[in-house]
Amino acid sequence: MQTHEIRERFTNHFLAAGHSVVPSASLILEDPDLLFVNAGMVPFKPYFLGQQNPPFPSGKATSIQKCVRTLDIEEVGVTTRHNTFFQMAGNFSFGQYFKEGAITHAWTLLTDPIDQGGYGLDPERLWVTVYLDDDEAAEIWETKIGVPTERIQRLGMEDNYWSMGVPGPCGPCSEIYYDRGPEHGADGGPAVDDTRYMEIWNLVFMGKERGEGTGKDSFEIVGDLPKKNIDTGLGIERVACLLQGVDNVYETDLLRPVIDAAQELTGATYQGDGPDAVRFRVIADHSRTGMMLILDGVTPSNEGRGYILRRLLRRIVRSARLLGATGETLEKLMNVVMDTMTPSYPEIAENRERISRVSVVEERAFLKTLESGTHRFDEAASSILASGSTHFSGEEAFALHDTYGFPIDLTLEMAAEAGLEVDRAAFDAAMSEQRARAKADNKAKKHGHADESVYREWVDNHPTEFIGFSELSADAKVLGLVSHGRSITEAKEGEDVEVILDVSPLYAESGGQLGDRGRIISGTTVLEVNDVQKIGKRLWVHKAKVASGGLDLGQTVTAEVDPDWRHGAKQAHTGTHLIHAALRQVLGPTAVQAGSLNRPGYLRFDFNYTEQLTREQLAEIATIANQAVDDDMPVNTIETSLDEARKLGAMALFGENYGSKVRVVEIGGPFSMELCGGTHVEHSSQIGPIAILGESSVGSGARRIEAYSGMNSFRYFSKEAALAANLATWFKAPTEELPDRVSQLSEKLRDAAKQIASLRREQVLANSGKLLDDAEHVGDFTLLTRRIPDGVTSNNLRALASDLRGNLHGRPAVVVLVSVDGDDKVPFVVSATKEAVDLGVNSGDLVKQLAAHLDGRGGGKPDMAQGSGSNIAGLDDAFASVRADLVSR
């Protein structure tokens, strides 16, 4: 029984029992405790915790939830029962049925005959466990279900009591195990050997409430829940092992094809145990998990979910290389995974190109890392061997890891092959030291400074006095000059220098607002300031170029802000506040700022939100923001304590670290109130018009709005108006009629395209009889291969292939049609009569052969399959491959 059928039977079983079918949630939920959904009940937590009422009229639900657990990535493949990605089928009751209902539902599905919708498992091979004192569950199993007493075992809290690890719902469990036979282990039931006796279903009787405590068994049961709930989970992959007659999850229909593809790519053979077998299993497991993560919007990065994905993808590449692969592997592996998973997750089909692109880009980047690291390893190994030693130092292994991103396990493998022994203890020590340095170095890296110690004296004893909120010019003294990380005493004409002043009116970059531009002058000396950065939150570092004259330490100067720059920056920054307020009005309080960039005339605003905004939402946001501009709201600033600011209702943004005194920017009373240290206009009308340019995704759960402010908005609107005027002239219609005119023209073009397609189809179908004259006899089959005139769509090809197949019924025949559509794509279709299918022909397999020659992909059923490629030059070879296939039968 294929895995997708196992899923369907589970869903149908509980649908028939009155459960609401709930689609799988994304692997990424807004849960601060989880990187990924790791259990089937996670999406239902708010209902079990009483935070929300279940939205299911029956009070019962069922789902097959995507899950990922990555705590022990290194252990993947060592055992053959666990995967990082798995599918947890569950049924849930919220105050409806309890122990007897849950047990009956589970037993019926497991043991009912296959022709009655069940899994057909032998009840004599099923064992159950219950909690130590759960006499009620034991009684149900024995008297209601008929499980012999000797196959009911009682286990303690470690095994048979469930909670979420925190105060809240909990309850005893009953688990169902399948006896795989004496060849898999010792007699005695799951209490003796949980390898022979495989757990397949866990029933949680959630009727109690737990108190504080740690671990699985060191907490107090404080009482009963108001309602008794049921949370059960059946492992789809484990049931697939049993129903497909294989020993482990890697032999099932979802993962074995990936291992087979890995064998083709590497030339190695998957058999038995040992390092090679583990690597094959790593490839299979991680390929599927990586694909599902990319499907749900995760992209490789160096932190959080993206880092987990990067580790998975790189472990695939690394394992394939160790097995003998020499080229790229991820595209083929991902295609195989997508083929196996699409029947259960149809949305994969729409995301194939994106999934493939993300994985290929990551692999190519990592292969460059491996290439450079391998070269460095070879040099080091040669030097060590030439000296007569076999000791590969931990420091050298760490340098490979730190400088080249070379994985330690690959270093260990290559060293062993070269007869060298790596000092792993020294490597681990170096890694620990690096982690200790990471936090200290992080801040310096953000500011682009190799070492901040050069600024320490000024940070501690001479912090900058910023007067830029009220002044655009100030007399100041040069306290320090820095060049290339060193303190200097003078800067000459043409040199770049960092200038530290005792007083400055120039704003230092923070809160998303770029640093001011301006000048530092003294007599004939002029320095153009192109950036201002803040060190230690106390010191302003003016990055400047000496345009004329020279500057000496201790010199008195005048620092001036470029007024046009500041005006534009204030407009953009204040406009960001209006956009934020408008967003929250339209989308609700969950749309919180996650980052911003403000420069004169332009703003970029990132916010946490999981869905693309509609045109109507964007228009409403723009209207609210510009209405706030037109209302000429006063912009006030208040300096107060953080606690007082919070009492006022001011928003603190995305994890900023605020001091004891904060600056609250309030616009129009309740319209907007945020903690912000930036520069702002005095009245909202001074922002000028705000032109929203668009909205896009910047990662999983994060969106971005870009907009112009002030004169940039005016220029943008003017350009748009000129474009509309030109179109109005071309269409000879008023601008307000343009949408209708464009729509009418588009409709006419679509109709014309449909008519052309219809005429082509009719023409091709009219000539279908003549096409049969070209059929040839290949072995026991009739074969028709034909390139159809260009411009015929895939739908028309399919209709023609179906028509031709109908004319060939009664004999084993195969029809192969190929065309080139208007977008230079190469659609192709394979159709086989029933007689051909009975002789073993599979159109889906033949389509994949065509795809290999036409640089495309495809799939389908045995009697009809289709695909699309991009290389018509491979047509002759594609047809030849089909002929060869039929001849061989």
Side-chain angles (χ1 to χ4, degrees):
M1 186 182 297
Q2 298 294 293
T3 299
H4 66 271
E5 184 180 347
I6 295 171
R7 290 166 45 96
E8 289 174 354
R9 285 174 179 261
F10 185 93
T11 300
N12 291 338
H13 178 78
F14 285 101
L15 179 62
H19 292 64
S20 298
V21 178
V22 180
S24 173
S26 168
L27 286 167
I28 305 166
L29 289 184
E30 295 302 319
D31 188 322
D33 298 323
L34 296 174
L35 274 178
F36 306 113
V37 171
N38 62 1
M41 61 78 61
V42 168
F44 300 93
K45 278 172 61 176
Y47 316 134
F48 287 130
L49 292 172
Q51 298 167 344
Q52 300 176 24
N53 291 322
F56 318 116
S58 65
K60 299 178 291 184
T62 186
S63 72
I64 299 177
Q65 176 60 46
K66 300 178 290 188
C67 301
V68 167
R69 293 179 185 170
T70 59
L71 290 178
D72 300 309
I73 291 178
E74 290 80 5
E75 299 301 315
V76 169
V78 177
T79 71
T80 56
R81 289 185 296 159
H82 298 89
N83 300 127
T84 52
F85 172 87
F86 57 96
Q87 302 170 90
M88 185 59 71
N91 58 286
F92 309 90
S93 170
F94 307 96
Q96 303 300 311
Y97 59 82
F98 199 48
K99 293 182 182 180
E100 184 173 346
I103 290 171
T104 302
H105 282 313
W107 187 261
T108 302
L109 176 59
L110 290 175
T111 61
D112 272 0
I114 289 177
D115 60 3
Q116 295 179 24
Y119 292 141
L121 294 180
D122 181 359
E124 299 300 318
R125 302 185 73 168
L126 294 178
W127 290 61
V128 296
T129 62
V130 297
Y131 181 56
L132 283 175
D133 63 2
D134 194 351
D135 297 330
E136 180 186 1
E139 175 72 13
I140 294 169
W141 279 116
E142 184 174 1
T143 62
K144 300 289 184 180
I145 303 301
V147 178
T149 304
E150 61 269 20
R151 295 212 311 270
I152 303 172
Q153 297 185 324
R154 295 179 184 248
L155 300 176
M157 291 187 76
E158 180 75 17
D159 298 295
N160 275 69
Y161 207 93
W162 177 90
S163 80
M164 287 190 290
V166 295
C170 65
C173 305
S174 182
E175 297 176 334
I176 305 174
Y177 291 79
Y178 183 86
D179 180 3
R180 299 197 293 160
E183 67 273 19
H184 291 280
D187 290 334
V192 174
D193 189 335
D194 64 357
T195 298
R196 169 176 170 174
Y197 301 89
M198 180 187 288
E199 178 193 343
I200 56 176
W201 207 326
N202 184 18
L203 314 174
V204 177
F205 309 130
M206 198 184 301
K208 300 292 183 179
E209 182 177 359
R210 62 158 281 184
E212 296 285 351
T214 59
K216 289 188 175 183
D217 54 5
S218 58
F219 53 82
E220 180 184 3
I221 308 300
V222 298
D224 294 327
L225 291 176
K227 292 183 178 181
K228 294 180 178 180
N229 303 317
I230 287 294
D231 160 25
T232 84
L234 171 139
I236 292 289
E237 281 77 9
R238 294 190 179 187
V239 173
C241 286
L242 303 178
L243 298 183
Q244 293 175 19
V246 297
D247 287 340
N248 61 71
V249 294
Y250 293 96
E251 298 292 329
T252 63
D253 59 317
L254 296 188
L255 291 181
R256 181 64 206 214
V258 189
I259 290 177
D260 292 341
Q263 289 185 120
E264 294 178 16
L265 288 167
T266 64
T269 301
Y270 175 64
Q271 57 185 4
D273 290 316
D276 278 2
V278 172
R279 288 171 187 137
F280 274 114
R281 294 194 283 264
V282 166
I283 289 171
D285 173 89
H286 289 5
S287 294
R288 182 173 63 165
T289 305
M291 188 280 294
M292 296 302 293
L293 290 178
I294 298 171
L295 176 67
D296 279 4
V298 182
T299 55
S301 68
N302 289 325
E303 58 185 20
R305 299 181 179 105
Y307 175 67
I308 296 294
L309 175 59
R310 173 159 285 168
R311 283 190 67 194
L312 294 173
L313 296 182
R314 293 192 168 190
R315 277 172 61 84
I316 297 168
V317 176
R318 193 163 70 239
S319 297
R321 302 278 286 192
L322 291 173
L323 287 170
T326 57
E328 295 180 8
T329 59
L330 281 182
E331 184 172 21
K332 180 175 179 61
L333 293 170
M334 287 295 176
N335 280 330
V336 173
V337 173
M338 288 188 279
D339 289 341
T340 62
M341 298 297 288
T342 297
S344 297
Y345 301 95
E347 62 271 24
I348 292 172
E350 301 172 4
N351 290 276
R352 287 188 76 113
E353 184 177 350
R354 178 177 61 85
I355 293 168
S356 180
R357 183 177 65 252
V358 169
S359 57
V360 166
V361 168
E362 180 65 17
E363 178 173 27
R364 288 174 180 169
F366 186 47
L367 287 176
K368 291 181 180 178
T369 294
L370 290 179
E371 182 180 355
S372 58
T374 299
H375 180 69
R376 169 68 181 266
F377 174 87
D378 289 342
E379 289 182 340
S382 297
S383 176
I384 294 169
L385 291 171
S387 69
S389 173
T390 59
H391 177 78
F392 196 98
S393 72
E395 291 76 12
E396 184 64 45
F398 177 75
L400 279 167
H401 163 82
D402 193 43
T403 305
Y404 297 94
F406 211 63
I408 181 58
D409 51 351
L410 193 55
T411 300
L412 292 170
E413 185 82 17
M414 293 174 65
E417 292 173 356
L420 301 174
E421 184 174 349
V422 178
D423 187 342
R424 183 61 187 267
F427 171 84
D428 291 339
M431 282 293 293
S432 298
E433 291 176 10
Q434 184 198 51
R435 294 189 185 101
R437 291 193 305 267
K439 290 185 179 180
D441 292 344
N442 186 48
K443 190 175 181 182
K445 290 176 181 176
K446 285 183 179 178
H447 288 283
H449 301 304
D451 184 357
E452 281 191 5
S453 60
V454 68
Y455 306 100
R456 184 56 51 203
E457 169 65 21
W458 297 301
V459 170
D460 292 341
N461 301 311
H462 301 285
T464 306
E465 179 186 355
F466 175 63
I467 61 171
F469 288 132
S470 58
E471 304 291 338
L472 295 183
S473 177
D475 292 334
K477 182 179 181 179
V478 178
L479 298 181
L481 298 171
V482 176
S483 176
H484 301 292
R486 296 184 302 107
S487 178
I488 59 175
T489 59
E490 63 177 352
K492 298 177 180 178
E493 186 172 326
E495 293 181 345
D496 293 319
V497 65
E498 296 177 352
V499 183
I500 297 164
L501 305 174
D502 61 343
V503 176
S504 179
L506 287 95
Y507 182 81
E509 180 178 344
S510 61
Q513 180 176 332
L514 297 185
D516 276 335
R517 305 299 184 262
R519 299 193 307 167
I520 297 173
I521 57 177
S522 178
T524 59
T525 294
V526 177
L527 284 79
E528 298 291 344
V529 178
N530 52 57
D531 191 15
V532 186
Q533 290 293 317
K534 193 185 297 185
I535 303 294
K537 295 188 176 183
R538 291 161 53 88
L539 188 70
W540 269 230
V541 176
H542 305 77
K543 298 189 175 185
K545 187 177 193 70
V546 184
S548 64
L551 189 66
D552 295 323
L553 190 63
Q555 189 170 339
T556 299
V557 297
T558 300
E560 298 176 344
V561 178
D562 180 335
D564 291 335
W565 175 279
R566 172 66 71 84
H567 177 64
K570 291 195 300 183
Q571 288 178 311
H573 200 152
T574 315
T576 301
H577 287 245
L578 300 189
I579 291 289
H580 192 186
L583 262 172
R584 291 170 64 81
Q585 286 192 33
V586 174
L587 303 180
T590 59
V592 179
Q593 181 175 346
S596 66
L597 174 69
N598 308 293
R599 64 171 184 259
Y602 171 86
L603 65 92
R604 188 181 75 199
F605 184 86
D606 296 347
F607 57 101
N608 293 321
Y609 201 64
T610 56
E611 299 176 6
Q612 181 178 359
L613 272 60
T614 64
R615 289 183 178 273
E616 291 74 18
Q617 287 172 321
L618 276 178
E620 187 177 0
I621 291 165
T623 298
I624 293 171
N626 280 290
Q627 184 62 57
V629 171
D630 190 59
D631 288 343
D632 194 25
M633 296 177 176
V635 179
N636 300 311
T637 58
I638 306 166
E639 287 196 1
T640 183
S641 68
L642 182 58
D643 287 341
E644 286 299 317
R646 286 172 172 160
K647 290 179 183 178
L648 290 172
M651 291 184 59
L653 303 180
F654 58 92
E656 284 278 0
N657 293 319
Y658 296 101
S660 57
K661 287 291 183 180
V662 295
R663 194 164 181 266
V664 178
V665 176
E666 173 255 327
I667 305 173
F671 182 80
S672 172
M673 186 176 293
E674 300 183 17
L675 301 184
C676 183
T679 63
H680 299 86
V681 298
E682 296 178 354
H683 291 268
S684 61
S685 60
Q686 294 171 342
I687 298 171
I690 296 174
I692 293 182
L693 306 180
E695 181 261 3
S696 61
S697 170
V698 289
S700 178
R703 311 293 302 179
R704 171 174 292 171
I705 282 180
E706 295 180 85
Y708 287 144
S709 60
M711 286 301 296
N712 275 8
S713 292
F714 173 77
R715 296 183 188 100
Y716 173 78
F717 288 133
S718 296
K719 183 178 178 181
E720 294 290 296
L723 175 61
N726 288 336
L727 287 173
T729 300
W730 191 78
F731 277 102
K732 297 180 180 179
T735 54
E736 60 269 18
E737 295 181 10
L738 284 177
D740 289 339
R741 291 293 184 93
V742 172
S743 178
Q744 292 169 9
L745 180 59
S746 298
E747 187 64 31
K748 288 180 180 179
L749 290 172
R750 281 194 295 269
D751 289 342
K754 289 178 182 177
Q755 292 176 13
I756 293 170
S758 177
L759 289 172
R760 283 177 174 162
R761 178 180 177 182
E762 292 174 5
Q763 183 181 23
V764 170
L765 290 175
N767 294 324
S768 62
K770 295 180 180 179
L771 293 178
L772 292 174
D773 295 338
D774 296 332
E776 57 184 308
H777 293 287
V778 178
D780 296 329
F781 299 88
T782 297
L783 172 64
L784 174 60
T785 58
R786 186 66 180 265
R787 175 175 176 176
I788 302 303
D790 293 350
V792 176
T793 65
S794 58
N795 287 337
N796 288 341
L797 276 185
R798 187 181 180 94
L800 178 58
S802 180
D803 182 69
L804 292 169
R805 180 183 61 186
N807 290 328
L808 293 169
H809 72 87
R811 48 179 159 163
V814 176
V815 177
V816 182
L817 303 179
V818 180
S819 184
V820 177
D821 68 16
D823 296 322
D824 293 329
K825 294 294 179 69
V826 182
F828 47 89
V829 174
V830 176
S831 182
T833 62
K834 179 180 181 300
E835 292 77 12
V837 172
D838 290 343
L839 291 176
V841 170
N842 187 312
S843 296
D845 293 340
L846 293 179
V847 152
K848 291 176 182 177
Q849 289 185 34
L850 290 170
H853 295 286
L854 301 175
D855 294 348
R857 57 173 62 98
K861 298 180 179 179
D863 63 335
M864 178 72 79
Q866 65 186 59
S868 180
S870 59
N871 178 29
I872 193 64
L875 184 58
D876 290 341
D877 290 339
F879 284 163
S881 71
V882 175
R883 290 190 188 93
D885 185 280
L886 297 182
V887 168
S888 66
R889 294 181 182 277

